[in-house]
Short mmCIF file of all heavy atoms in Angstrom, two decimals:
data_model
loop_
_atom_site.label_atom_id
_atom_site.label_comp_id
_atom_site.label_asym_id
_atom_site.label_seq_id
_atom_site.Cartn_x
_atom_site.Cartn_y
_atom_site.Cartn_z
N ALA X 69 -76.93 8.50 -58.88
CA ALA X 69 -76.07 9.55 -59.45
C ALA X 69 -76.19 10.82 -58.62
O ALA X 69 -75.16 11.44 -58.26
CB ALA X 69 -76.45 9.82 -60.90
N ALA X 70 -77.42 11.19 -58.25
CA ALA X 70 -77.61 12.42 -57.48
C ALA X 70 -76.99 12.27 -56.08
O ALA X 70 -76.35 13.19 -55.57
CB ALA X 70 -79.08 12.74 -57.37
N ALA X 71 -77.16 11.07 -55.47
CA ALA X 71 -76.63 10.86 -54.13
C ALA X 71 -75.10 10.96 -54.16
O ALA X 71 -74.47 11.58 -53.29
CB ALA X 71 -77.05 9.49 -53.60
N LEU X 72 -74.51 10.35 -55.19
CA LEU X 72 -73.02 10.38 -55.28
C LEU X 72 -72.56 11.83 -55.50
O LEU X 72 -71.57 12.25 -54.93
CB LEU X 72 -72.55 9.48 -56.42
CG LEU X 72 -72.69 7.99 -56.19
CD1 LEU X 72 -72.35 7.22 -57.45
CD2 LEU X 72 -71.85 7.51 -55.04
N GLU X 73 -73.30 12.54 -56.32
CA GLU X 73 -72.91 13.91 -56.60
C GLU X 73 -72.98 14.78 -55.33
O GLU X 73 -72.15 15.65 -55.14
CB GLU X 73 -73.80 14.50 -57.69
CG GLU X 73 -73.29 15.87 -58.12
CD GLU X 73 -73.87 16.28 -59.47
OE1 GLU X 73 -74.09 15.38 -60.29
OE2 GLU X 73 -74.07 17.47 -59.65
N ASN X 74 -73.95 14.46 -54.47
CA ASN X 74 -74.05 15.22 -53.22
C ASN X 74 -73.16 14.64 -52.13
O ASN X 74 -73.31 14.96 -50.97
CB ASN X 74 -75.48 15.21 -52.73
CG ASN X 74 -76.38 16.04 -53.64
OD1 ASN X 74 -75.97 17.10 -54.10
ND2 ASN X 74 -77.58 15.57 -53.93
N ARG X 75 -72.26 13.78 -52.52
CA ARG X 75 -71.32 13.17 -51.60
C ARG X 75 -71.99 12.50 -50.39
O ARG X 75 -71.56 12.63 -49.25
CB ARG X 75 -70.31 14.20 -51.08
CG ARG X 75 -69.55 14.83 -52.20
CD ARG X 75 -68.44 15.74 -51.71
NE ARG X 75 -67.67 16.20 -52.83
CZ ARG X 75 -66.72 15.47 -53.41
NH1 ARG X 75 -66.45 14.27 -53.00
NH2 ARG X 75 -66.06 15.97 -54.45
N VAL X 76 -73.09 11.83 -50.65
CA VAL X 76 -73.74 11.06 -49.62
C VAL X 76 -72.88 9.85 -49.35
O VAL X 76 -72.52 9.12 -50.25
CB VAL X 76 -75.17 10.64 -50.05
CG1 VAL X 76 -75.71 9.61 -49.07
CG2 VAL X 76 -76.07 11.84 -50.15
N ALA X 77 -72.50 9.66 -48.07
CA ALA X 77 -71.54 8.58 -47.79
C ALA X 77 -72.24 7.22 -47.61
O ALA X 77 -71.58 6.19 -47.65
CB ALA X 77 -70.77 8.93 -46.52
N SER X 78 -73.56 7.22 -47.42
CA SER X 78 -74.24 5.95 -47.15
C SER X 78 -74.10 4.98 -48.33
O SER X 78 -74.36 5.37 -49.47
CB SER X 78 -75.71 6.18 -46.90
OG SER X 78 -75.91 7.34 -46.13
N PRO X 79 -73.69 3.77 -48.08
CA PRO X 79 -73.61 2.79 -49.15
C PRO X 79 -75.00 2.47 -49.72
O PRO X 79 -75.92 2.27 -48.94
CB PRO X 79 -73.02 1.54 -48.46
CG PRO X 79 -72.49 1.99 -47.14
CD PRO X 79 -73.26 3.22 -46.78
N VAL X 80 -75.12 2.48 -51.05
CA VAL X 80 -76.43 2.23 -51.69
C VAL X 80 -76.43 0.84 -52.29
O VAL X 80 -75.55 0.51 -53.10
CB VAL X 80 -76.72 3.26 -52.76
CG1 VAL X 80 -78.06 2.99 -53.42
CG2 VAL X 80 -76.64 4.67 -52.18
N ILE X 81 -77.37 -0.01 -51.85
CA ILE X 81 -77.52 -1.36 -52.41
C ILE X 81 -78.70 -1.36 -53.35
O ILE X 81 -79.83 -1.02 -52.94
CB ILE X 81 -77.69 -2.38 -51.26
CG1 ILE X 81 -76.44 -2.39 -50.38
CG2 ILE X 81 -77.97 -3.77 -51.81
CD1 ILE X 81 -76.62 -3.06 -49.04
N MET X 82 -78.50 -1.70 -54.60
CA MET X 82 -79.57 -1.67 -55.59
C MET X 82 -80.38 -2.96 -55.51
O MET X 82 -79.86 -4.04 -55.29
CB MET X 82 -79.00 -1.53 -57.01
CG MET X 82 -77.97 -0.44 -57.21
SD MET X 82 -78.47 1.23 -56.67
CE MET X 82 -79.83 1.55 -57.77
N MET X 83 -81.70 -2.83 -55.72
CA MET X 83 -82.55 -4.00 -55.80
C MET X 83 -83.06 -4.09 -57.24
O MET X 83 -83.77 -3.19 -57.69
CB MET X 83 -83.74 -3.87 -54.84
CG MET X 83 -83.31 -3.75 -53.37
SD MET X 83 -84.70 -3.69 -52.24
CE MET X 83 -85.34 -2.04 -52.52
N SER X 84 -82.65 -5.12 -57.96
CA SER X 84 -82.99 -5.15 -59.37
C SER X 84 -84.01 -6.24 -59.62
O SER X 84 -83.82 -7.40 -59.23
CB SER X 84 -81.76 -5.41 -60.20
OG SER X 84 -81.30 -6.72 -60.01
N ALA X 85 -85.13 -5.87 -60.30
CA ALA X 85 -86.12 -6.85 -60.68
C ALA X 85 -85.74 -7.43 -62.04
O ALA X 85 -84.80 -6.99 -62.67
CB ALA X 85 -87.48 -6.17 -60.76
#
Side-chain angles (χ1 to χ4, degrees):
L72 290 172
E73 188 162 327
N74 291 320
R75 302 187 174 280
V76 169
S78 320
V80 180
I81 297 165
M82 311 306 296
M83 300 184 285
S84 70

